[in-house]
Amino acid sequence: QSHFGFTPWMAALLPSHAKALKPESLELLGPTGAITFNQINPVLSSSKAPYQKVEELFSLPGVFGNASQLRLHERFFSPTSGPNRTWLLAMWDGLAKDLLIGLRNGPCADRMMEAFSASATDDDSDAEEDEDVRQRKEQYRFLEHWFQATRGPAPCSDWNFDCREPYRSDLDSVVANEVEGFRKGFQELYAKMQDDDAGMALCRLPACTEFRADLLSQFGAHPILAWLDSLDATGAFQALRNIGAFGTTGNQEAIEGFIDLCARSDFSVPNTFWCNVYKLWLH
């Protein structure tokens, strides 16, 4: 999304656009025609678990597991007729609402977590847990992308629509219920902690404590990172490889790991890459 939330394809179709582009140029700029509502709607309206739906959307032609390749923003908002109620409601009712509720109750996986038998090995247990964590992260990333995609263009002379009007009341209700649920959950946890001596000691600690003033800035923990300061992608790759971010320091394996990283929605474009790579390096 560029200035005012209009992508180049959307801007080219605005009534105020100076000159109409040729159809072939618009086809290159626009979202792929390989993904249609008739393909997505059966996925959203099915009774499958949210994670299964996310996986199926990521498997659509040209998506390659990257939510940004779905081009939801452009499918949700027509530059000439405004918000597409059909697309917006289908995505909200079929997937986004369940993912939002799942932030508190735990996102539904595509499988039931069965109790481990006495003969189950620790490796089996760790593999199940790793898979569950991976699924949760994928659902969180998709929900974050949905929130960004549904912001719509900013109000201006070319856009005077309420981008979330079709489901705003339902969204407000769900958010209010979830906030109240979180509040009650934290109150119960706080009360339970006070029943324990160690918990009571923790509750008595001040809300804010300064242990080392010299570490209030990251420059107290490490010097200026030249690769980050200059937005050097090659330097970022070397820095991540040096700390074992790809699980290995070997050239080929590290390169493949870096390619996989750049395919993730939170690293797929320069803006999000440089917003998140320092956090990944630091962790």
Side-chain angles (χ1 to χ4, degrees), residues 179-189:
V179 169
E180 180 63 17
F182 275 115
R183 186 186 66 82
K184 289 182 179 179
F186 282 123
Q187 284 182 337
E188 293 172 0
L189 178 61

Side-chain angles (χ1 to χ4, degrees), residues 40-252:
I40 289 183
N41 190 49
V43 177
L44 299 177
S45 59
S46 71
S47 59
K48 295 179 180 179
Y51 180 71
Q52 287 180 302
K53 295 181 181 181
V54 172
E55 285 281 88
E56 289 194 27
L57 292 179
F58 282 170
S59 300
L60 290 173
V63 178
F64 305 113
N66 187 345
S68 62
Q69 297 298 331
L70 288 168
R71 305 283 290 269
L72 293 178
H73 177 74
E74 291 162 310
R75 301 181 194 280
F76 288 157
F77 305 106
S78 167
T80 56
S81 57
N84 188 317
R85 294 180 61 90
T86 302
W87 273 87
L88 288 168
L89 287 174
M91 187 64 72
W92 165 249
D93 291 328
L95 182 56
K97 184 176 181 179
D98 290 334
L99 291 178
L100 184 57
I101 294 175
L103 291 176
R104 178 168 61 92
N105 298 324
C108 301
D110 65 342
R111 52 177 168 69
M112 295 298 294
M113 294 295 291
E114 299 179 353
F116 297 111
S117 63
S119 61
T121 65
D122 290 340
D123 290 341
D124 292 336
S125 177
D126 291 343
E128 290 282 344
E129 184 176 353
D130 290 344
E131 176 63 14
D132 191 52
V133 170
R134 186 186 71 83
Q135 292 180 4
R136 289 170 182 259
K137 287 183 177 179
E138 286 298 322
Q139 291 176 94
Y140 293 154
R141 290 195 189 104
F142 185 86
L143 181 61
E144 181 180 8
H145 179 78
W146 175 83
F147 270 114
Q148 294 175 347
T150 53
R151 289 182 302 178
C156 61
S157 58
D158 289 311
W159 191 266
N160 59 357
F161 302 98
D162 180 356
C163 297
R164 292 196 170 111
E165 182 275 330
Y167 57 93
R168 179 176 296 280
S169 60
D170 197 16
L171 173 62
D172 291 343
S173 176
V174 170
V175 170
N177 288 337
E178 293 308 299
V179 169
E180 180 63 17
F182 275 115
R183 186 186 66 82
K184 289 182 179 179
F186 282 123
Q187 284 182 337
E188 293 172 0
L189 178 61
Y190 185 72
K192 186 176 181 179
M193 288 178 61
Q194 291 178 314
D195 293 335
D196 181 78
D197 292 340
M200 178 58 73
L202 182 62
C203 293
R204 287 173 178 168
L205 291 176
C208 183
T209 302
E210 184 178 304
F211 293 99
R212 289 187 57 180
D214 60 317
L215 295 182
L216 292 178
S217 167
Q218 68 265 37
F219 298 129
H222 59 75
I224 294 177
L225 303 175
W227 58 268
L228 183 62
D229 197 46
S230 61
L231 304 183
D232 178 8
T234 303
F237 165 72
Q238 295 291 354
L240 292 173
R241 184 177 67 166
N242 290 340
I243 63 171
F246 309 118
T248 178
T249 57
N251 283 333
Q252 187 60 36

